[in-house]
């Protein structure tokens, strides 16, 4: 009897599964039929319009009345891929999602000695994004201006425009408008990027009402992530095929095509979450397994990036997707537990292996436990940067200092403790907290407007992504929603750059599309002319953006050249990109290095008894050119600390080699810089050098003693101070200073050599 009951239950379960399968098949068939009917309606409308054109003898764009009929007869929610200009626009958006994450200029894998650009990562990603956005915008405008169509918009569009207007105002009032407009080199988070993001979100919203188009965007991101995460995994295993200079972080820590584990972590929040959304929305077994594999790979690399903010953001995003799946009654299949188990085993294995690492960053437990430790390490320096950011905000709470100008104002507000903990050579160019970064840049109102956009969007789309009776692909749209939340959380302790933040605005367009209002826009009679103008403007934009890439190519070539070649490359970089301050500084440094080279050649010629006239002329010419270039750099960017350091160095060189009167100029320039950076140890060391050259040894000693108190690990300052002690017959003080430093920072060869020399001198005496 028991066996009979069991067989009956099994039969009922099989019948229920069969019935569910038939119902699902019927729904899919109905969906395909609806798409076919929509496509047929679109084709019929287009044929009717063409017939009307032929009958009337018109070959131009459709009239106002026919545009309305076509838009009504062919709903844009149909799953057919866009055709014509709209197809070009959507392909450009897909290209942006796929190409921006993988874009970088390191071509050493192909045998090159140098990358194509000095900025290997961010400038290339910025370039690819702007080109793709311009192509997409031009193609979409071509279609709308010539044929008309349906426009999607939401009330949030007005808030975005207000935000952009506010950022424009803060750019005008900025401490340095070119940086506020273009963004700081190697991040590009200025007004121009915000405009780019807004256009991107708007264009994505025009296409993303269709579930199929959301899936296309998700798949483009997924396949891009396979390359990014795959490369990150190779780096973790120590199999990096590219050549890199010395890394500023731990070896075998994944950074992939982003150049920094923190930035890679921001991308992986999106890739992990969207991969999970693809898994849960996919019914085909093979593709489901592929998505599971991608999810596991991205999750594994997220672990080995050892980025705490990304761990938190990724965890929150995955939990949100799980809640959405529960709300929408998405169920895991039995076969899903195999890839889940494999991914979990690999992840736990990597975590367990990291426990044996003595490096606190590469040890998962220690890294995770340090999240709330602010009394040492990166946590301490980060809070000191936040302290400086709060000081900057307090000084200009309304309009801020200008978007992405944090580097220029940081040293005004940095606490002395930061110099001690991070070193005098460290200058924070980012607040490492995006709300503080925004508030310091565009003021508190600008920061509130920015977050207001995403909070409003999250609330407006909440029901769409969490509804129980959702569309079959709603979980995928929800994955973009969850990833955006995770990324915004990560930004509370992270950095915003083009290569990751563009995905935040892409997600904004995806989640707002179903909530948008539809407006039928007729093609104007002058639409063709306007469309041609739009294409021309887009072409100009692509050309101007290309100049940035070429200028950075010239910059890296110059940095790896000498003499006149270096000067010529630097001049070309300035000519191509005159609003990039580092190129102006490089021109001055190139002339200074050439003057130094001529000086050395002159000394060698003098020792050999040869004529030194040519070399003396070269020294004077390039010294004068360096002085003019560095003064120009200071005039262009008065708050850039490095320019004052470079000019003070040049004047000290002139005082030691040409005329002692240059020491007074070095003192003047150094003091001007210290007005903007009171704790600038590099400038104080130059000031001490000038004082010593000007026979003001006591003042030089005073400056260097202050530097060693600010930064007790500055070996250069200690050696210079010890030399001055010896100069004024204080050899015992010099020896004591060097021994104390050697105990505090052991292993410095220059320090131990100086100690040996002083001890030998004392023994001899």
């Amino acid at each position: 009897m028991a066996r009979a009951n069991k067989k009956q239950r099994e039969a009922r379960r099989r019948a229920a599964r069969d019935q569910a399968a038939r119902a699902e098949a019927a729904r899919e068939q109905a969906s395909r039929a609806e798409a076919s009917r929509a496509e047929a309606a679109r084709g019929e409308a287009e044929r009717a319009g063409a017939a009307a054109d032929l009958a009337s003898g018109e070959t131009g764009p459709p009239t106002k009345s026919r545009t309305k009929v076509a838009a009504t007869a062919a709903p844009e929610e149909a799953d057919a891929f866009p055709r014509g200009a709209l197809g070009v626009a959507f392909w450009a958006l897909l290209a942006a999602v796929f190409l921006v994450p993988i874009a970088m200029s390191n071509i050493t894998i192909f045998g090159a000695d140098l990358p194509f650009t000095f900025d290997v990562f961010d400038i290339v990603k910025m370039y690819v994004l702007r080109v793709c956005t311009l192509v997409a915008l031009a193609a979409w405008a071509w279609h709308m201006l010539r044929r008309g169509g349906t426009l999607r918009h939401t009330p949030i569009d007005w808030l975005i425009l207000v935000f952009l207007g506010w950022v424009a105002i803060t750019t005008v009032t900025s401490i340095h408008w070119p940086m506020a407009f273009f963004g700081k080199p190697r991040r590009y988070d200025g007004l121009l990027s915000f405009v780019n993001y807004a256009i991107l979100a708007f264009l994505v919203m025009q296409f993303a009402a269709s579930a199929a188009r959301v899936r296309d965007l998700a798949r483009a991101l997924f396949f891009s992530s396979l390359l990014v995460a795959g490369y990150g995994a190779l780096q973790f295993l120590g199999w990096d095929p590219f050549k890199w200079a010395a890394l500023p972080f731990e070896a075998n820590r994944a950074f992939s095509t982003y150049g920094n584990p923190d930035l890679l972590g921001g991308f992986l929040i999106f890739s992990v979450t969207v991969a999970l959304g693809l898994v849960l929305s996919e019914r085909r077994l093979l593709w489901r397994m592929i998505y599971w594999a991608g999810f596991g790979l991205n999750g594994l690399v997220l672990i080995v990036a050892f980025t705490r903010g990304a761990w938190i953001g990724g965890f929150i995003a995955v939990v949100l997707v799980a809640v959405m799946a529960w709300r929408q009654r998405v169920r895991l299949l039995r076969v899903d537990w195999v890839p889940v188990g494999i991914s979990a085993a690999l992840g736990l294995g990597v975590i367990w292996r990291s426990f044996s690492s003595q490096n606190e960053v590469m040890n998962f437990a220690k890294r995770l436990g340090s999240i709330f430790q602010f009394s040492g390490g990166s946590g301490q320096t980060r809070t000191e940067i936040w302290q400086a950011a709060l000081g900057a905000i307090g000084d200009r709470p309304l309009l801020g200092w200008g978007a992405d100008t944090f580097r220029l104002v940081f040293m005004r507000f940095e606490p002395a403790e930061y110099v001690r903990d991070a070193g005098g050579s460290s200058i924070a160019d980012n607040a490492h907290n995006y709300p503080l970064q925004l508030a310091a840049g565009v003021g508190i109102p600008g920061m509130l407007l920015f977050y207001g956009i995403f909070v409003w969007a999250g609330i407006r789309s909440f029901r769409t992504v969490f509804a129980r009776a959702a569309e079959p692909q709603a979980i995928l749209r929800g994955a973009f929603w969850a990833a955006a939340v995770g990324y915004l959380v990560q930004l509370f302790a992270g950095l915003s750059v083009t290569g990751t933040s563009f995905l935040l605005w892409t997600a904004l367009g995806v989640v707002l599309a179903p909530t948008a209002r539809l407006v039928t826009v007729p093609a104007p009679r002058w639409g063709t002319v306007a469309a041609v103008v739009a294409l021309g403007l887009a072409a100009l934009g692509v050309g101007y953006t290309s100049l940035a890439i070429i200028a950075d190519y010239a910059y890296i070539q110059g940095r790896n050249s000498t003499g006149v070649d270096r000067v010529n490359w630097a001049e070309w970089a300035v000519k191509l990109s005159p609003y990039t301050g580092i190129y102006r500084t490089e021109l001055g440094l190139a002339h200074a290095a050439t003057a130094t080279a001529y000086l050395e050649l002159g000394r060698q010629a003098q020792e050999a008894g040869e004529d030194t006239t040519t070399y003396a002329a070269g020294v004077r010419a390039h010294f004068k050119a360096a002085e003019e270039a560095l003064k120009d750099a200071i005039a262009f960017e008065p708050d850039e600390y490095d320019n004052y350091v470079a000019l003070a160095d040049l004047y000290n060189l002139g005082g030691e080699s040409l005329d002692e009167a240059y020491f007074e100029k070095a003192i003047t320039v150094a003091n001007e810089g210290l007005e903007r950076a009171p704790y600038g140890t590099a400038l104080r060391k130059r000031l001490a050098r000038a004082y010593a050259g000007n026979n003001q040894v006591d003042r030089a000693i005073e400056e260097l003693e202050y530097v060693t108190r600010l930064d007790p690990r500055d070996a250069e300052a200690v050696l210079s101070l010890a030399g001055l002690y010896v100069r004024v017959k204080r050899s015992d003080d010099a020896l004591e200073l060097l021994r104390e430093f050697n105990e505090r920072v052991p292993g410095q060869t220059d320090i131990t050599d100086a100690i040996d020399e002083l001890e030998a001198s004392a023994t001899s005496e």
Side-chain angles (χ1 to χ4, degrees):
M1 178 66 70
R3 284 195 297 272
N5 290 337
K6 184 175 181 181
K7 289 180 179 179
Q8 291 174 358
R9 288 195 298 270
E10 287 292 335
R12 286 195 295 269
R13 279 196 291 269
R14 283 196 297 272
R17 284 197 297 269
D18 291 342
Q19 183 179 0
R22 287 194 296 272
E24 182 62 29
R27 283 195 296 270
E28 291 184 1
Q29 185 176 2
S31 177
R32 287 194 296 270
E34 178 64 25
S36 299
R37 286 194 296 272
E39 179 63 22
R42 179 185 288 112
E44 184 63 30
E46 291 175 353
R47 286 191 294 274
D53 285 343
L54 290 174
S56 62
E58 295 177 8
T59 57
T63 63
K64 182 183 294 187
S65 61
R66 283 201 305 279
T67 303
K68 291 182 178 179
V69 171
T72 304
E76 293 184 15
E77 288 76 13
D79 283 349
F81 197 90
R83 295 181 298 178
L86 289 182
V88 173
F90 190 62
W91 272 115
L93 294 177
L94 293 177
V97 173
F98 178 79
L99 292 176
V100 171
I102 65 175
M104 67 176 185
S105 67
N106 189 341
I107 53 177
T108 55
I109 193 174
F110 302 113
D113 293 329
L114 293 172
F116 184 76
T117 57
F118 181 78
D119 179 359
V120 180
F121 305 101
D122 297 291
I123 195 172
V124 187
K125 295 182 189 300
M126 176 273 292
Y127 174 75
V128 172
L129 177 64
R130 290 185 183 170
V131 169
C132 289
T133 304
L134 284 168
V135 171
L137 180 62
W140 179 82
W142 178 270
H143 173 86
M144 295 296 291
L145 290 169
R146 296 185 69 250
R147 300 189 60 83
T150 302
L151 181 71
R152 287 185 173 82
H153 72 95
T154 70
I156 298 176
D157 298 345
W158 296 109
L159 184 58
I160 293 174
L161 289 175
V162 171
F163 170 70
L164 294 178
W166 183 264
V167 176
I169 292 171
T170 63
T171 299
V172 174
T173 62
S174 169
I175 191 174
H176 186 57
W177 77 262
M179 186 174 289
F181 182 79
F182 294 102
K184 180 193 171 296
R186 307 190 76 173
R187 188 167 53 249
Y188 307 101
D189 205 31
L191 172 60
L192 196 56
S193 287
F194 284 122
V195 172
N196 192 161
Y197 297 150
I199 294 172
L200 179 68
F202 173 80
L203 291 174
V204 169
M205 186 168 62
Q206 304 312 306
F207 294 96
S210 164
R213 300 294 74 79
V214 174
R215 191 171 193 80
D216 289 336
L217 290 166
R219 285 165 65 93
L221 176 59
F222 175 79
F223 289 118
S224 181
S225 75
L226 294 183
L227 298 175
V228 175
Y231 180 35
L234 290 179
Q235 290 172 333
F236 174 67
L237 296 172
W239 299 340
D240 195 330
F242 294 90
K243 297 177 184 177
W244 299 102
L247 299 175
F249 40 80
E250 296 72 18
N252 298 100
R253 190 177 171 193
F255 61 88
S256 191
T257 57
Y258 280 84
N260 185 299
D262 292 335
L263 304 183
L264 173 63
F267 168 78
L268 292 171
I269 292 173
F270 282 98
S271 60
V272 165
T273 312
V274 171
L276 182 58
L278 283 167
V279 167
L280 298 178
S281 64
E282 183 58 62
R283 297 184 181 85
R284 294 167 294 179
L285 180 60
L286 176 60
W287 279 105
R288 197 172 177 99
M289 293 300 103
I290 292 173
Y291 294 145
W292 268 127
F295 171 79
L297 176 63
N298 279 274
L300 185 66
V301 176
L302 179 58
I303 294 173
V304 299
F306 293 98
T307 303
R308 295 162 296 185
W311 288 347
I312 297 172
F315 176 77
I316 290 173
V318 169
V319 169
L320 286 172
V321 172
V323 173
M324 294 173 192
W326 169 72
R327 291 278 301 172
Q328 297 170 19
R329 296 182 173 84
V330 176
R331 295 287 184 266
L332 288 180
L333 306 177
R334 287 186 179 181
V335 72
D336 289 332
W337 293 107
V338 175
V340 169
I342 293 173
S343 298
L346 288 174
L348 290 174
V350 169
I351 291 173
W352 178 264
R353 181 176 177 272
S354 76
F355 291 162
S356 61
S357 175
Q358 298 302 311
N359 188 310
E360 293 189 1
V361 173
M362 302 291 285
N363 186 305
F364 185 87
K366 293 180 179 179
R367 186 67 169 164
L368 192 63
S370 66
I371 290 177
F372 300 105
Q373 292 179 2
F374 302 108
S375 58
S378 61
Q380 183 168 344
T381 56
R382 188 158 298 186
T383 55
E384 290 161 356
I385 294 173
W386 295 347
Q387 181 180 339
L390 290 171
I393 295 167
D395 204 64
R396 285 196 184 184
L398 185 62
L399 293 171
W401 298 84
D404 215 15
T405 61
F406 189 77
R407 173 187 170 86
L408 299 182
V409 300
F410 170 73
M411 297 190 74
R412 295 188 183 204
F413 300 99
E414 67 173 336
E417 292 78 11
Y418 180 80
V419 180
R420 179 198 63 207
D421 297 329
S425 61
S426 176
I427 303 175
D429 61 5
N430 191 288
H432 292 272
N433 178 296
Y434 201 53
L436 293 180
Q437 175 82 4
L438 276 175
V442 298
I444 295 174
M447 181 269 290
L448 294 177
L449 285 170
F450 175 87
Y451 279 95
I453 292 168
F454 292 96
V455 170
W456 190 359
I459 295 172
R460 183 179 178 86
S461 58
F462 185 86
R463 290 186 178 180
T464 303
V465 299
F466 281 97
R468 283 196 179 275
E471 60 176 334
Q473 299 293 329
I475 190 67
L476 191 51
R477 196 182 301 274
F480 279 96
W481 193 96
V485 172
Y487 183 65
L488 287 169
V489 169
Q490 187 252 357
L491 285 181
F492 275 87
L495 286 69
S496 169
V497 292
T498 300
T500 46
S501 288
F502 89 100
L503 291 171
L504 176 66
W505 292 80
T506 300
L508 180 68
V510 168
V511 302
L512 285 180
T515 72
R517 299 169 184 171
L518 304 182
V519 176
T520 301
V521 179
R525 294 189 180 277
W526 41 265
T528 300
V529 175
V532 171
V533 172
L535 289 182
L537 292 175
L540 288 174
V542 171
Y544 185 78
T545 303
S546 299
L547 293 179
I549 291 289
I550 301 172
D552 214 50
Y553 168 78
Y555 180 59
I556 190 175
Q557 293 297 323
R559 291 285 296 262
N560 289 273
S561 302
T562 58
V564 177
D565 286 341
R566 180 178 178 181
V567 170
N568 291 338
W569 283 115
E571 287 177 342
W572 193 30
V574 173
K575 184 177 180 180
L576 291 171
S577 186
Y579 294 111
T580 305
I582 57 173
Y583 299 162
R584 294 171 181 257
T585 304
E586 168 59 17
L587 179 58
L589 294 175
H591 279 296
T594 307
T596 303
Y598 272 114
L599 188 64
E600 180 60 29
L601 290 172
R603 286 173 179 167
Q604 294 175 5
Q606 186 177 29
E607 291 173 359
E610 300 173 356
D611 182 24
T612 62
T613 303
T614 302
Y615 303 118
V619 171
R620 288 193 297 271
H622 285 284
F623 185 92
K624 184 65 175 177
E627 181 183 24
E628 292 176 354
L630 290 173
K631 284 183 175 180
D632 173 71
I634 290 175
F636 175 73
E637 223 170 24
D639 293 281
E640 174 51 59
Y641 176 76
D642 288 350
N643 291 334
Y644 294 95
V645 174
L647 186 55
D649 261 335
L650 180 72
Y651 283 144
N652 278 328
L653 174 66
E656 293 163 354
S657 305
L658 301 176
D659 187 339
E660 290 186 358
Y662 281 115
F663 285 127
E664 284 294 337
K665 291 188 174 184
I667 292 169
T668 300
V669 168
N671 282 318
E672 288 176 358
L674 287 173
E675 291 177 3
R676 294 165 171 81
Y679 300 127
T681 57
L683 269 179
R684 290 191 179 277
K685 286 185 287 187
R686 272 71 179 174
L687 182 59
R689 179 181 167 190
Y691 279 142
N694 208 26
N695 292 318
Q696 300 180 62
V697 180
D698 290 342
R699 299 193 68 176
I701 289 175
E702 181 181 345
E703 288 294 336
L704 289 175
E705 286 177 340
Y706 183 64
V707 170
T708 57
R709 289 196 299 272
L710 276 176
D711 185 5
R713 295 174 296 175
D714 191 331
E716 181 188 10
V718 167
L719 284 170
S720 298
L721 180 57
L724 290 179
Y725 280 159
V726 172
R727 181 173 169 179
V728 295
K729 311 301 182 183
R730 294 172 56 184
S731 297
D732 291 343
D733 292 337
L735 190 57
E736 181 182 358
L737 174 71
L738 292 168
R739 285 171 175 169
E740 289 178 352
F741 184 88
N742 193 46
E743 292 178 2
R744 187 167 57 250
V745 189
Q748 299 279 338
T749 304
D750 291 343
I751 297 294
T752 55
D753 289 347
I755 291 173
D756 292 341
E757 183 179 346
L758 279 176
E759 288 177 341
S761 177
T763 302
S764 175
E765 291 176 359

